[in-house]
Amino acid sequence: MASSAEHRSIFKLQGGTGKHVDGDVLDPLQCRPFQALVQLSPPPRDPGAQGSLKVLPGFHAASAHFFEVSGLPPPAGGFTPLTEHDHPDLIDEELWTPVARLPARWRDKHSRGELPAPSAAPSARGRAGVVKALRGLAAELRALEGAPLQPGDYVIWDTRLPHTTGDPDALCGHERPRQVFYCAYTLAAECVALSAEQRSCRATGLHTSWAPTAQ
């Protein structure tokens, strides 16, 4: 029978990640093309509170175009924070929305073929044009008023999609911490370096090196 010393907890108390991109925007199928989570805890009363997952909707489709017209080096994988110096327009709160359930109205519109046209961000002229299109998409999604995530809900997203769980290292401050089960997917033709790191993390119980609060 294994002793208690041989058991390792799979739980980790992690503060906010800050707004960031995890993927390689020019070669998104490298290493970790998709991330996902299963919501375990009930939602906070404020869906925009620290700890809640928020995203910059639509950016994954426009990411390569944005960095090209901005003259900025594109994220090449790992953890790339969005900063006030290089990305002041992208960290604007008006572009970000809490992840929520698909509202019934959206499903009804989809069944009737009445969804709005795709975002113009991937083909917009210039950096300002991309941001303007993204701002419009975020407003459109907020107007749909999707319900907060519930325990058991599954969320999957493209790693080119900027996301955050709050200000860097900030804790939610609620009576109970937000609990989720994170998942990451690699292609069948695996990334050797990443797979080696993941095997090491499973063996040692340490967090991956790209995590903002890895310990």
Side-chain angles (χ1 to χ4, degrees):
M1 182 175 179
S3 68
S4 59
E6 294 175 311
H7 292 280
R8 295 188 180 93
S9 172
I10 63 171
F11 295 94
K12 176 180 183 292
L13 186 62
Q14 176 178 301
T17 59
K19 295 170 179 172
H20 68 282
V21 176
D22 285 325
D24 183 333
V25 303
L26 299 185
D27 193 1
L29 294 183
Q30 276 291 330
C31 297
R32 292 182 301 119
F34 302 105
Q35 290 175 284
L37 63 81
V38 178
Q39 182 78 17
L40 301 179
S41 57
R45 293 185 180 90
D46 175 8
Q50 300 281 5
S52 299
L53 180 64
K54 298 175 71 175
V55 299
L56 199 171
F59 187 82
H60 63 293
S63 56
H65 179 53
F66 174 85
F67 286 102
E68 178 183 9
V69 298
S70 300
L72 294 171
F79 180 87
T80 303
L82 301 180
T83 67
E84 182 69 42
H85 181 267
D86 290 331
H87 320 98
D89 39 8
L90 293 186
I91 62 175
D92 183 350
E93 280 297 318
E94 288 190 2
L95 274 64
W96 293 73
T97 61
V99 171
R101 288 181 160 187
L102 290 175
R105 285 191 297 162
W106 193 95
R107 293 195 296 269
D108 292 342
K109 286 179 176 291
H110 181 271
S111 65
R112 297 193 300 267
E114 298 176 356
L115 289 179
S119 169
S123 58
R125 294 185 59 185
R127 177 170 178 163
V130 174
V131 172
K132 180 180 179 181
L134 294 172
R135 182 176 289 109
L137 178 59
E140 178 184 310
L141 292 175
R142 282 194 296 269
L144 289 173
E145 298 179 347
L149 297 178
Q150 299 296 324
D153 285 354
Y154 179 76
V155 182
I156 185 168
W157 67 95
D158 189 307
T159 53
R160 293 171 295 175
L161 189 71
H163 52 284
T164 179
T165 57
D167 298 333
D169 297 325
L171 298 177
C172 66
H174 297 294
E175 64 277 6
R176 65 171 67 187
R178 167 181 174 261
Q179 291 181 308
V180 301
F181 184 84
Y182 278 110
C183 318
Y185 296 93
T186 58
L187 300 181
E190 64 181 29
C191 174
V192 175
L194 180 63
S195 297
E197 181 181 25
Q198 290 173 335
R199 284 193 291 271
S200 174
C201 290
R202 285 194 292 270
T204 63
L206 297 178
H207 207 301
T208 47
S209 62
W210 45 260
T213 52
Q215 52 183 301

